[in-house]
Amino acid sequence: MANNARPDVKLRHWLFCACLLAVGLTSLSGCASKLNAPQGGSDGEIVTDSDEPEARKRARIRLDLAVGYFEQGQTTIALDELKQSLAADPNYAEAYSLRGLIYLRLNDFRLSEESFKKALAIGPRDSNIMHNLGWLYCQQARFPEAMQLFSEALANPQYGERAKTFRAQGLCQVKAGQLADAEQSLLKSYEFDARNPITAYNLATLLFQRGDFVRAQFYVRRLNNSELANAESLWLGIKIERRLQNRDAMLQLAAPLLKRFPKSRELESYQRGAFDE
């Protein structure tokens, strides 16, 4: 997600990892900071690090290690660290949420749902957990349940990851065939985070498919003029400029496609003139 996108990573890879980018690892890597954030105690004093129970501190350290392994794709080691985290503190919602993400990556939807529901039972107002469970339901085509959870997450006035949830909601609505609603969700996500390449690419793609070429051009041009431009975004830009009969703009996009991605399937399609495939 997020922002998890890095320059020169193919958008194809971003889309392949859409579930992880949509849920956003920021909600996990930010666990420690969330736990350490000053909060008011029962006597009105600010809660500091020394107030954190020893069991939770041990669990948090293990969770931080698990997050690092998960981000590196070492899911087995991450799960082992989570077992130790939960052994230290069985009521650690963030640990269960990460376990849900790991099983989602492994396509074990049953254990993923079980983990997210356990996390939500411990933290029933945690919008990040609602978001993650909603994304799981989207992967299972359980669209009404997914949309309900996204709405509940966004209804929390203290939720700071709105771009992430609007993006996931939009991608889910595309999958459900709710294209008008998807456009609105992706537009809202873009308002909160205009640099996210997944939002920009999918919004431009949706507008292109709906025949709104001028607006599609706006979003894909901003992406292609950034360091996040990649083979798929350049190819989409070429197809949009072709529909708008902008030959010079097409050639300007074809040049970096050839130079930077000479072995890409997008360049091969361009060279064959396969604009409508």
Side-chain angles (χ1 to χ4, degrees), residues 15 18 27 32 35-36 47 55 61 95 100 128 133 140 144 147 150 152 178 210 232 240 245 266:
L15 298 177
S27 61
L35 287 167
N36 293 330
V47 177
I61 291 171
N128 276 308
L133 181 56
Q140 298 175 295
M147 300 309 170
F150 291 145
E152 290 178 12
Q178 302 167 2
R210 301 185 76 189
E232 286 197 17
I240 291 171
Q245 300 181 350
E266 289 79 12

Side-chain angles (χ1 to χ4, degrees), residues 9 42 55 84 101 119 178 192 195 209 214 219 272 277:
V9 178
S42 58
Q84 297 183 65
L101 290 177
Q178 302 167 2
F192 283 104
R195 282 186 53 82
Q209 292 172 344
V214 173
Y219 293 104
R272 289 192 295 110
E277 286 186 354

